[in-house]
PDB file of all heavy atoms in Angstrom:
ATOM      1  N   CYS M  27      36.920   5.230  11.017  1.00 98.00           N
ATOM      2  CA  CYS M  27      35.626   5.960  11.299  1.00 98.00           C
ATOM      3  C   CYS M  27      34.996   5.170  12.503  1.00 98.00           C
ATOM      4  O   CYS M  27      34.611   4.069  12.342  1.00 98.00           O
ATOM      5  CB  CYS M  27      34.695   6.079  10.093  1.00 98.00           C
ATOM      6  SG  CYS M  27      35.434   6.970   8.739  1.00 98.00           S
ATOM      7  N   ASP M  28      34.689   5.996  13.619  1.00 98.00           N
ATOM      8  CA  ASP M  28      34.021   5.341  14.686  1.00 98.00           C
ATOM      9  C   ASP M  28      32.570   5.747  14.578  1.00 98.00           C
ATOM     10  O   ASP M  28      31.771   5.230  15.483  1.00 98.00           O
ATOM     11  CB  ASP M  28      34.728   5.849  15.989  1.00 98.00           C
ATOM     12  CG  ASP M  28      34.539   7.345  16.222  1.00 98.00           C
ATOM     13  OD1 ASP M  28      33.722   8.055  15.578  1.00 98.00           O
ATOM     14  OD2 ASP M  28      35.242   7.890  17.166  1.00 98.00           O
ATOM     15  N   GLY M  29      32.107   6.602  13.766  1.00 98.00           N
ATOM     16  CA  GLY M  29      30.673   6.904  13.564  1.00 98.00           C
ATOM     17  C   GLY M  29      30.021   7.851  14.637  1.00 98.00           C
ATOM     18  O   GLY M  29      28.862   7.990  14.577  1.00 98.00           O
ATOM     19  N   SER M  30      30.933   8.487  15.461  1.00 98.00           N
ATOM     20  CA  SER M  30      30.517   9.268  16.531  1.00 98.00           C
ATOM     21  C   SER M  30      29.987  10.686  15.993  1.00 98.00           C
ATOM     22  O   SER M  30      30.364  11.094  14.783  1.00 98.00           O
ATOM     23  CB  SER M  30      31.557   9.615  17.622  1.00 98.00           C
ATOM     24  OG  SER M  30      32.710  10.150  16.954  1.00 98.00           O
ATOM     25  N   ASP M  31      29.166  11.366  16.728  1.00 98.00           N
ATOM     26  CA  ASP M  31      28.809  12.602  16.268  1.00 98.00           C
ATOM     27  C   ASP M  31      29.961  13.588  16.296  1.00 98.00           C
ATOM     28  O   ASP M  31      29.927  14.580  15.428  1.00 98.00           O
ATOM     29  CB  ASP M  31      27.799  13.196  17.317  1.00 98.00           C
ATOM     30  CG  ASP M  31      26.371  12.274  17.224  1.00 98.00           C
ATOM     31  OD1 ASP M  31      26.274  11.671  16.229  1.00 98.00           O
ATOM     32  OD2 ASP M  31      25.617  12.522  18.132  1.00 98.00           O
ATOM     33  N   SER M  32      30.896  13.391  17.194  1.00 98.00           N
ATOM     34  CA  SER M  32      31.982  14.351  17.242  1.00 98.00           C
ATOM     35  C   SER M  32      32.879  14.207  15.932  1.00 98.00           C
ATOM     36  O   SER M  32      33.362  15.183  15.444  1.00 98.00           O
ATOM     37  CB  SER M  32      32.899  14.246  18.402  1.00 98.00           C
ATOM     38  OG  SER M  32      33.322  12.792  18.545  1.00 98.00           O
ATOM     39  N   GLU M  33      32.937  12.950  15.497  1.00 98.00           N
ATOM     40  CA  GLU M  33      33.756  12.604  14.129  1.00 98.00           C
ATOM     41  C   GLU M  33      33.051  13.420  13.074  1.00 98.00           C
ATOM     42  O   GLU M  33      33.695  14.032  12.315  1.00 98.00           O
ATOM     43  CB  GLU M  33      33.736  11.210  13.997  1.00 98.00           C
ATOM     44  CG  GLU M  33      34.452  10.932  12.702  1.00 98.00           C
ATOM     45  CD  GLU M  33      34.497   9.339  12.561  1.00 98.00           C
ATOM     46  OE1 GLU M  33      33.329   8.800  12.292  1.00 98.00           O
ATOM     47  OE2 GLU M  33      35.559   8.709  12.695  1.00 98.00           O
ATOM     48  N   TYR M  34      31.570  13.254  13.035  1.00 98.00           N
ATOM     49  CA  TYR M  34      30.962  13.929  11.932  1.00 98.00           C
ATOM     50  C   TYR M  34      31.163  15.512  12.028  1.00 98.00           C
ATOM     51  O   TYR M  34      31.343  16.072  10.933  1.00 98.00           O
ATOM     52  CB  TYR M  34      29.423  13.631  12.101  1.00 98.00           C
ATOM     53  CG  TYR M  34      28.466  14.303  11.261  1.00 98.00           C
ATOM     54  CD1 TYR M  34      28.275  13.620  10.073  1.00 98.00           C
ATOM     55  CD2 TYR M  34      27.737  15.427  11.490  1.00 98.00           C
ATOM     56  CE1 TYR M  34      27.398  14.124   9.004  1.00 98.00           C
ATOM     57  CE2 TYR M  34      26.881  15.955  10.552  1.00 98.00           C
ATOM     58  CZ  TYR M  34      26.647  15.282   9.378  1.00 98.00           C
ATOM     59  OH  TYR M  34      25.748  15.749   8.390  1.00 98.00           O
ATOM     60  N   LYS M  35      31.074  16.021  13.217  1.00 98.00           N
ATOM     61  CA  LYS M  35      31.348  17.488  13.304  1.00 98.00           C
ATOM     62  C   LYS M  35      32.665  17.932  12.965  1.00 98.00           C
ATOM     63  O   LYS M  35      32.826  19.041  12.286  1.00 98.00           O
ATOM     64  CB  LYS M  35      31.147  17.891  14.771  1.00 98.00           C
ATOM     65  CG  LYS M  35      29.564  18.026  15.166  1.00 98.00           C
ATOM     66  CD  LYS M  35      29.431  18.907  16.340  1.00 98.00           C
ATOM     67  CE  LYS M  35      27.992  19.079  16.752  1.00 98.00           C
ATOM     68  NZ  LYS M  35      27.686  18.384  18.112  1.00 98.00           N
ATOM     69  N   MET M  36      33.634  17.136  13.278  1.00 98.00           N
ATOM     70  CA  MET M  36      34.974  17.375  12.925  1.00 98.00           C
ATOM     71  C   MET M  36      35.133  17.419  11.344  1.00 98.00           C
ATOM     72  O   MET M  36      35.818  18.330  10.789  1.00 98.00           O
ATOM     73  CB  MET M  36      35.932  16.247  13.480  1.00 98.00           C
ATOM     74  CG  MET M  36      37.444  16.500  13.302  1.00 98.00           C
ATOM     75  SD  MET M  36      37.898  15.667  11.686  1.00 98.00           S
ATOM     76  CE  MET M  36      37.702  13.920  12.049  1.00 98.00           C
ATOM     77  N   LEU M  37      34.538  16.379  10.743  1.00 98.00           N
ATOM     78  CA  LEU M  37      34.644  16.416   9.193  1.00 98.00           C
ATOM     79  C   LEU M  37      33.947  17.652   8.657  1.00 98.00           C
ATOM     80  O   LEU M  37      34.484  18.036   7.593  1.00 98.00           O
ATOM     81  CB  LEU M  37      34.050  15.081   8.731  1.00 98.00           C
ATOM     82  CG  LEU M  37      34.801  13.873   9.030  1.00 98.00           C
ATOM     83  CD1 LEU M  37      34.149  12.549   8.771  1.00 98.00           C
ATOM     84  CD2 LEU M  37      36.108  13.833   8.362  1.00 98.00           C
ATOM     85  N   ILE M  38      32.739  17.865   9.217  1.00 98.00           N
ATOM     86  CA  ILE M  38      32.022  19.096   8.695  1.00 98.00           C
ATOM     87  C   ILE M  38      32.885  20.403   8.741  1.00 98.00           C
ATOM     88  O   ILE M  38      32.972  21.115   7.694  1.00 98.00           O
ATOM     89  CB  ILE M  38      30.741  19.341   9.329  1.00 98.00           C
ATOM     90  CG1 ILE M  38      29.766  18.049   9.197  1.00 98.00           C
ATOM     91  CG2 ILE M  38      30.016  20.607   8.993  1.00 98.00           C
ATOM     92  CD1 ILE M  38      28.788  18.131   8.054  1.00 98.00           C
ATOM     93  N   GLN M  39      33.561  20.486   9.910  1.00 98.00           N
ATOM     94  CA  GLN M  39      34.433  21.661   9.972  1.00 98.00           C
ATOM     95  C   GLN M  39      35.515  21.680   9.101  1.00 98.00           C
ATOM     96  O   GLN M  39      35.748  22.588   8.444  1.00 98.00           O
ATOM     97  CB  GLN M  39      34.997  21.590  11.482  1.00 98.00           C
ATOM     98  CG  GLN M  39      34.354  22.665  12.461  1.00 98.00           C
ATOM     99  CD  GLN M  39      34.811  22.452  13.932  1.00 98.00           C
ATOM    100  OE1 GLN M  39      35.832  21.928  14.157  1.00 98.00           O
ATOM    101  NE2 GLN M  39      33.928  22.860  14.817  1.00 98.00           N
ATOM    102  N   MET M  40      36.136  20.518   8.948  1.00 98.00           N
ATOM    103  CA  MET M  40      37.257  20.511   8.151  1.00 98.00           C
ATOM    104  C   MET M  40      36.725  20.828   6.555  1.00 98.00           C
ATOM    105  O   MET M  40      37.401  21.501   5.833  1.00 98.00           O
ATOM    106  CB  MET M  40      37.774  19.024   8.109  1.00 98.00           C
ATOM    107  CG  MET M  40      39.041  18.804   7.391  1.00 98.00           C
ATOM    108  SD  MET M  40      39.301  17.043   7.217  1.00 98.00           S
ATOM    109  CE  MET M  40      38.296  16.654   5.821  1.00 98.00           C
ATOM    110  N   MET M  41      35.599  20.236   6.208  1.00 98.00           N
ATOM    111  CA  MET M  41      35.252  20.381   4.800  1.00 98.00           C
ATOM    112  C   MET M  41      34.732  21.867   4.611  1.00 98.00           C
ATOM    113  O   MET M  41      34.734  22.386   3.467  1.00 98.00           O
ATOM    114  CB  MET M  41      34.064  19.465   4.605  1.00 98.00           C
ATOM    115  CG  MET M  41      34.546  17.894   4.392  1.00 98.00           C
ATOM    116  SD  MET M  41      33.135  16.821   4.341  1.00 98.00           S
ATOM    117  CE  MET M  41      32.658  17.158   2.630  1.00 98.00           C
ATOM    118  N   THR M  42      34.200  22.502   5.614  1.00 98.00           N
ATOM    119  CA  THR M  42      33.645  23.774   5.382  1.00 98.00           C
ATOM    120  C   THR M  42      34.948  24.738   5.268  1.00 98.00           C
ATOM    121  O   THR M  42      34.950  25.675   4.396  1.00 98.00           O
ATOM    122  CB  THR M  42      32.925  24.404   6.676  1.00 98.00           C
ATOM    123  OG1 THR M  42      32.103  23.296   7.155  1.00 98.00           O
ATOM    124  CG2 THR M  42      32.028  25.510   6.421  1.00 98.00           C
ATOM    125  N   LYS M  43      36.000  24.413   6.057  1.00 98.00           N
ATOM    126  CA  LYS M  43      37.302  25.101   5.917  1.00 98.00           C
ATOM    127  C   LYS M  43      37.872  25.027   4.496  1.00 98.00           C
ATOM    128  O   LYS M  43      38.340  25.947   3.875  1.00 98.00           O
ATOM    129  CB  LYS M  43      38.266  24.700   6.982  1.00 98.00           C
ATOM    130  CG  LYS M  43      38.968  25.891   7.686  1.00 98.00           C
ATOM    131  CD  LYS M  43      39.445  25.273   8.991  1.00 98.00           C
ATOM    132  CE  LYS M  43      40.894  26.009   9.024  1.00 98.00           C
ATOM    133  NZ  LYS M  43      41.645  25.342  10.211  1.00 98.00           N
ATOM    134  N   SER M  44      37.926  23.815   4.054  1.00 97.00           N
ATOM    135  CA  SER M  44      38.505  23.508   2.707  1.00 97.00           C
ATOM    136  C   SER M  44      37.651  24.062   1.671  1.00 97.00           C
ATOM    137  O   SER M  44      38.131  24.108   0.373  1.00 97.00           O
ATOM    138  CB  SER M  44      38.731  22.067   2.538  1.00 97.00           C
ATOM    139  OG  SER M  44      37.571  21.455   2.244  1.00 97.00           O
ATOM    140  N   GLY M  45      36.345  24.295   1.838  1.00 97.00           N
ATOM    141  CA  GLY M  45      35.462  24.840   0.738  1.00 97.00           C
ATOM    142  C   GLY M  45      34.748  23.699   0.125  1.00 97.00           C
ATOM    143  O   GLY M  45      33.835  24.017  -0.827  1.00 97.00           O
ATOM    144  N   SER M  46      34.928  22.468   0.509  1.00 97.00           N
ATOM    145  CA  SER M  46      34.107  21.335  -0.138  1.00 97.00           C
ATOM    146  C   SER M  46      32.649  21.415   0.441  1.00 97.00           C
ATOM    147  O   SER M  46      31.681  20.737  -0.281  1.00 97.00           O
ATOM    148  CB  SER M  46      34.908  19.887   0.022  1.00 97.00           C
ATOM    149  OG  SER M  46      34.209  19.150   0.817  1.00 97.00           O
ATOM    150  N   LEU M  47      32.392  22.077   1.535  1.00 98.00           N
ATOM    151  CA  LEU M  47      30.969  22.177   1.894  1.00 98.00           C
ATOM    152  C   LEU M  47      30.837  23.708   2.169  1.00 98.00           C
ATOM    153  O   LEU M  47      31.825  24.407   2.623  1.00 98.00           O
ATOM    154  CB  LEU M  47      30.796  21.553   3.376  1.00 98.00           C
ATOM    155  CG  LEU M  47      30.488  20.116   3.470  1.00 98.00           C
ATOM    156  CD1 LEU M  47      30.154  19.724   5.006  1.00 98.00           C
ATOM    157  CD2 LEU M  47      29.402  19.738   2.434  1.00 98.00           C
ATOM    158  N   ILE M  48      29.699  24.212   1.837  1.00 98.00           N
ATOM    159  CA  ILE M  48      29.334  25.632   2.099  1.00 98.00           C
ATOM    160  C   ILE M  48      28.363  25.617   3.134  1.00 98.00           C
ATOM    161  O   ILE M  48      27.315  24.935   3.151  1.00 98.00           O
ATOM    162  CB  ILE M  48      28.724  26.259   0.907  1.00 98.00           C
ATOM    163  CG1 ILE M  48      29.893  26.337  -0.196  1.00 98.00           C
ATOM    164  CG2 ILE M  48      28.259  27.691   1.188  1.00 98.00           C
ATOM    165  CD1 ILE M  48      29.362  26.515  -1.637  1.00 98.00           C
ATOM    166  N   GLU M  49      28.624  26.397   4.282  1.00 98.00           N
ATOM    167  CA  GLU M  49      27.610  26.445   5.438  1.00 98.00           C
ATOM    168  C   GLU M  49      26.395  27.335   4.853  1.00 98.00           C
ATOM    169  O   GLU M  49      26.452  28.431   4.366  1.00 98.00           O
ATOM    170  CB  GLU M  49      28.266  27.156   6.555  1.00 98.00           C
ATOM    171  CG  GLU M  49      27.450  27.161   7.803  1.00 98.00           C
ATOM    172  CD  GLU M  49      28.152  27.853   8.978  1.00 98.00           C
ATOM    173  OE1 GLU M  49      27.971  29.186   8.973  1.00 98.00           O
ATOM    174  OE2 GLU M  49      28.648  27.260   9.812  1.00 98.00           O
ATOM    175  N   LEU M  50      25.134  26.751   5.064  1.00 98.00           N
ATOM    176  CA  LEU M  50      24.006  27.450   4.580  1.00 98.00           C
ATOM    177  C   LEU M  50      23.473  28.381   5.703  1.00 98.00           C
ATOM    178  O   LEU M  50      24.060  28.464   6.963  1.00 98.00           O
ATOM    179  CB  LEU M  50      22.953  26.507   4.332  1.00 98.00           C
ATOM    180  CG  LEU M  50      23.212  25.605   3.057  1.00 98.00           C
ATOM    181  CD1 LEU M  50      22.297  24.514   2.867  1.00 98.00           C
ATOM    182  CD2 LEU M  50      23.261  26.585   1.817  1.00 98.00           C
ATOM    183  N   ASN M  51      22.605  29.198   5.522  1.00 98.00           N
ATOM    184  CA  ASN M  51      22.021  30.169   6.455  1.00 98.00           C
ATOM    185  C   ASN M  51      21.513  29.332   7.783  1.00 98.00           C
ATOM    186  O   ASN M  51      20.629  28.619   7.708  1.00 98.00           O
ATOM    187  CB  ASN M  51      20.780  30.692   5.815  1.00 98.00           C
ATOM    188  CG  ASN M  51      20.192  31.814   6.754  1.00 98.00           C
ATOM    189  OD1 ASN M  51      20.085  31.644   7.918  1.00 98.00           O
ATOM    190  ND2 ASN M  51      19.642  32.947   6.101  1.00 98.00           N
ATOM    191  N   GLN M  52      22.392  29.467   8.820  1.00 98.00           N
ATOM    192  CA  GLN M  52      22.261  28.640   9.903  1.00 98.00           C
ATOM    193  C   GLN M  52      21.041  28.996  10.854  1.00 98.00           C
ATOM    194  O   GLN M  52      20.465  28.219  11.645  1.00 98.00           O
ATOM    195  CB  GLN M  52      23.432  28.651  10.909  1.00 98.00           C
ATOM    196  CG  GLN M  52      24.673  27.952  10.198  1.00 98.00           C
ATOM    197  CD  GLN M  52      24.372  26.460  10.024  1.00 98.00           C
ATOM    198  OE1 GLN M  52      24.252  25.693  10.917  1.00 98.00           O
ATOM    199  NE2 GLN M  52      24.424  26.063   8.586  1.00 98.00           N
ATOM    200  N   LYS M  53      20.423  30.135  10.650  1.00 98.00           N
ATOM    201  CA  LYS M  53      19.357  30.492  11.337  1.00 98.00           C
ATOM    202  C   LYS M  53      18.094  29.870  10.624  1.00 98.00           C
ATOM    203  O   LYS M  53      17.208  29.285  11.387  1.00 98.00           O
ATOM    204  CB  LYS M  53      19.050  32.158  11.211  1.00 98.00           C
ATOM    205  CG  LYS M  53      18.099  32.578  12.219  1.00 98.00           C
ATOM    206  CD  LYS M  53      18.059  34.138  12.251  1.00 98.00           C
ATOM    207  CE  LYS M  53      16.812  34.814  12.699  1.00 98.00           C
ATOM    208  NZ  LYS M  53      16.001  35.162  11.535  1.00 98.00           N
ATOM    209  N   GLU M  54      17.984  29.898   9.428  1.00 98.00           N
ATOM    210  CA  GLU M  54      16.789  29.228   8.688  1.00 98.00           C
ATOM    211  C   GLU M  54      17.046  27.756   8.461  1.00 98.00           C
ATOM    212  O   GLU M  54      16.157  26.945   8.448  1.00 98.00           O
ATOM    213  CB  GLU M  54      16.678  29.874   7.311  1.00 98.00           C
ATOM    214  CG  GLU M  54      16.306  31.390   7.352  1.00 98.00           C
ATOM    215  CD  GLU M  54      15.042  31.806   8.183  1.00 98.00           C
ATOM    216  OE1 GLU M  54      14.132  30.976   8.132  1.00 98.00           O
ATOM    217  OE2 GLU M  54      14.931  32.863   8.617  1.00 98.00           O
ATOM    218  N   TYR M  55      18.250  27.312   8.288  1.00 98.00           N
ATOM    219  CA  TYR M  55      18.630  26.060   7.985  1.00 98.00           C
ATOM    220  C   TYR M  55      19.811  25.483   8.920  1.00 98.00           C
ATOM    221  O   TYR M  55      20.939  25.234   8.458  1.00 98.00           O
ATOM    222  CB  TYR M  55      19.106  25.817   6.533  1.00 98.00           C
ATOM    223  CG  TYR M  55      17.973  25.878   5.612  1.00 98.00           C
ATOM    224  CD1 TYR M  55      17.290  26.940   5.167  1.00 98.00           C
ATOM    225  CD2 TYR M  55      17.341  24.649   5.167  1.00 98.00           C
ATOM    226  CE1 TYR M  55      16.210  26.989   4.216  1.00 98.00           C
ATOM    227  CE2 TYR M  55      16.376  24.517   4.337  1.00 98.00           C
ATOM    228  CZ  TYR M  55      15.718  25.689   3.880  1.00 98.00           C
ATOM    229  OH  TYR M  55      14.690  25.603   2.892  1.00 98.00           O
ATOM    230  N   PRO M  56      19.581  25.302  10.197  1.00 98.00           N
ATOM    231  CA  PRO M  56      20.555  24.989  11.121  1.00 98.00           C
ATOM    232  C   PRO M  56      21.197  23.544  10.824  1.00 98.00           C
ATOM    233  O   PRO M  56      20.569  22.703  10.329  1.00 98.00           O
ATOM    234  CB  PRO M  56      19.823  24.745  12.521  1.00 98.00           C
ATOM    235  CG  PRO M  56      18.367  24.697  12.272  1.00 98.00           C
ATOM    236  CD  PRO M  56      18.112  25.478  10.847  1.00 98.00           C
ATOM    237  N   ASP M  57      22.510  23.575  10.871  1.00 98.00           N
ATOM    238  CA  ASP M  57      23.250  22.304  10.586  1.00 98.00           C
ATOM    239  C   ASP M  57      23.140  21.745   9.133  1.00 98.00           C
ATOM    240  O   ASP M  57      23.032  20.569   8.864  1.00 98.00           O
ATOM    241  CB  ASP M  57      22.982  21.229  11.640  1.00 98.00           C
ATOM    242  CG  ASP M  57      23.463  21.657  12.975  1.00 98.00           C
ATOM    243  OD1 ASP M  57      24.569  22.156  13.186  1.00 98.00           O
ATOM    244  OD2 ASP M  57      22.770  21.524  13.876  1.00 98.00           O
ATOM    245  N   CYS M  58      22.746  22.699   8.221  1.00 98.00           N
ATOM    246  CA  CYS M  58      22.744  22.291   6.841  1.00 98.00           C
ATOM    247  C   CYS M  58      23.792  22.861   6.056  1.00 98.00           C
ATOM    248  O   CYS M  58      24.275  23.977   6.238  1.00 98.00           O
ATOM    249  CB  CYS M  58      21.311  22.903   6.237  1.00 98.00           C
ATOM    250  SG  CYS M  58      19.987  22.036   6.952  1.00 98.00           S
ATOM    251  N   TYR M  59      24.240  22.083   5.066  1.00 98.00           N
ATOM    252  CA  TYR M  59      25.458  22.440   4.259  1.00 98.00           C
ATOM    253  C   TYR M  59      25.178  22.151   2.797  1.00 98.00           C
ATOM    254  O   TYR M  59      24.391  21.341   2.545  1.00 98.00           O
ATOM    255  CB  TYR M  59      26.657  21.739   4.810  1.00 98.00           C
ATOM    256  CG  TYR M  59      26.978  22.016   6.188  1.00 98.00           C
ATOM    257  CD1 TYR M  59      26.373  21.211   7.185  1.00 98.00           C
ATOM    258  CD2 TYR M  59      27.838  23.005   6.511  1.00 98.00           C
ATOM    259  CE1 TYR M  59      26.612  21.643   8.526  1.00 98.00           C
ATOM    260  CE2 TYR M  59      28.100  23.413   7.872  1.00 98.00           C
ATOM    261  CZ  TYR M  59      27.458  22.656   8.892  1.00 98.00           C
ATOM    262  OH  TYR M  59      27.666  23.064  10.151  1.00 98.00           O
ATOM    263  N   LEU M  60      25.898  22.803   1.907  1.00 98.00           N
ATOM    264  CA  LEU M  60      25.847  22.418   0.491  1.00 98.00           C
ATOM    265  C   LEU M  60      27.083  21.967   0.105  1.00 98.00           C
ATOM    266  O   LEU M  60      28.124  22.577   0.318  1.00 98.00           O
ATOM    267  CB  LEU M  60      25.497  23.809  -0.286  1.00 98.00           C
ATOM    268  CG  LEU M  60      25.654  23.836  -1.733  1.00 98.00           C
ATOM    269  CD1 LEU M  60      24.682  22.843  -2.353  1.00 98.00           C
ATOM    270  CD2 LEU M  60      25.443  25.188  -2.376  1.00 98.00           C
TER     271      LEU M  60
END
Side-chain angles (χ1 to χ4, degrees):
C27 299
D28 63 16
S30 63
D31 293 344
S32 56
E33 176 180 75
Y34 182 79
K35 280 205 183 108
M36 179 277 287
L37 290 170
I38 296 268
Q39 252 171 25
M40 185 193 86
M41 293 172 73
T42 317
K43 226 166 138 189
S44 76
S46 111
L47 282 185
I48 296 164
E49 189 180 79
L50 293 170
N51 183 325
Q52 293 296 296
K53 197 166 148 266
E54 302 296 335
Y55 281 85
D57 298 313
C58 289
Y59 299 86
L60 166 66

